[in-house]
Amino acid sequence: MRHLRAAAAAVLAGCVLLGAGAPGAQAADRGPGPADSGELRVLLDRLTADGAVGAVAEVRRGAAVRRAGSGRTTLTGGRPVPADARFRAGSVTKTFTATVVLQLVGEGRLRLDDTVRSLAPGLLTAPGSERITVKELLDHSSGLPEYTDGLVRGDAPIDRFRTWTAAELVRRVAAEPLLFAPGEAHHYSNTDYVVLGELIERTTGDSYATEIDRRILRPLGLRDTRLPGSSPALPGPHAHAYEPAALPDGSVRPVDFTVVNLSIAAAAGDLVSTTADLDRFYAALLTGRLLTPALLRAMTDPSAGGWGLGLELADLPCGPIAGHGGGAAGYHTLSFHSLDGSRQVTLDWTAWGPGDPLPAARALLAWALCPGVDDESEVAPGR
């Protein structure tokens, strides 16, 4: 939820076409993907050879779809990771939340320049917070501090089974001084999206989860995607995820965080999904099925220095891309797409121990998003 935003930026900043290399020692599970997924499995095997316990990805280029998994479901072995594995997508949730907010704007129930104070009096009380607008929450220019400070270690909650309400989370920082005057800078904060979740509920009378389900999941047939709220279970096939725990002797051991209450992430990061569902969602979004052309242009406007409205944006030689990264309790997700929806990739992995899967993740993203670009120096975003 929190820390993989930096990892997503690092992947984009280093998104060069690296050689695929030899497959890792662990065999990839073919899963339900098409038969021509060999290249994708080779790249996923690199992730598992370089520190990922398990990894799954789907790549779409036009009508061609490749889907595969690599590695094992647990540190101690388990079964091969299936290509349709569920995972906690963390901050990828933000694009879903932003889409609902923009739909409400399109319906005339919200405006981008509405202030939080006009929509939810008393929710924020810090000096200057009365000027924060819906748009500034969407593009992280609100100046709101991070509510997760002191509540998470890495991407995992310290109190893993506690149920939090969004109001409790916002109250942690509601009166704290702003980091800067609204609109004057950009600073990634999960608080922005927890507040947006509250605005959705106050505007519609239903929770953000209900609205995402009604407006996005059901119409698009995203049957393997859900917002579990306080339920700690991860239904369906999945790989286990691990976070580090320090021992008194100074050593570190892995703790299985697959079962965890992510109400602490709320509208900022509690989504569970699959690679296929996320690619289907972003394809629908970027091809205009969910928003009007004007609102989609506003969502993908790169003038905020790489931030859209609920999107991370970057320029590659093969064209601009949009999407989001996410990290939640041991799961690491990257979902990026060409703006016309013709090239897509969603990747998730779990990791533990020595090694760094990020170079292999860069290679996979570059292979998926810029096919045919052979010069490493040509594939680097302009942000």
Side-chain angles (χ1 to χ4, degrees), residues 59-66 279 282-284 286-287 318-321 336-345 368-371:
V59 173
R60 296 187 179 204
R61 297 178 189 155
V65 180
R66 295 175 173 88
D279 277 351
Y282 277 105
L286 294 171
T287 57
C318 51
I321 60 171
F336 286 93
H337 318 267
S338 63
L339 287 190
D340 63 2
S342 64
R343 302 186 308 279
Q344 298 189 265
V345 57
L369 294 172
C370 284

Side-chain angles (χ1 to χ4, degrees), residues 24 40 63 80 113 119 196 228 262 269 273 277 283 290 296 313 315 356 365:
L40 178 57
D113 60 359
L119 297 169
L196 286 168
L262 277 188
S273 194
D277 273 8
L290 298 175
L296 183 57
L313 306 173
D315 287 319
D356 181 7
L365 263 67

Side-chain angles (χ1 to χ4, degrees), residues 18-60:
L18 306 174
Q26 296 173 333
D29 175 58
R30 291 180 179 268
D36 64 345
S37 298
E39 292 176 277
L40 178 57
R41 287 195 300 273
V42 168
L43 288 163
L44 284 173
D45 284 347
R46 284 189 60 189
L47 265 83
T48 52
D50 292 346
V53 180
V56 290
E58 181 181 272
V59 173
R60 296 187 179 204

Side-chain angles (χ1 to χ4, degrees), residues 69-91:
S70 179
R72 296 283 171 171
T73 55
T74 70
L75 268 174
T76 56
R79 287 179 276 185
V81 176
D84 63 344
R86 280 64 165 168
F87 50 83
R88 302 190 188 277
S91 287

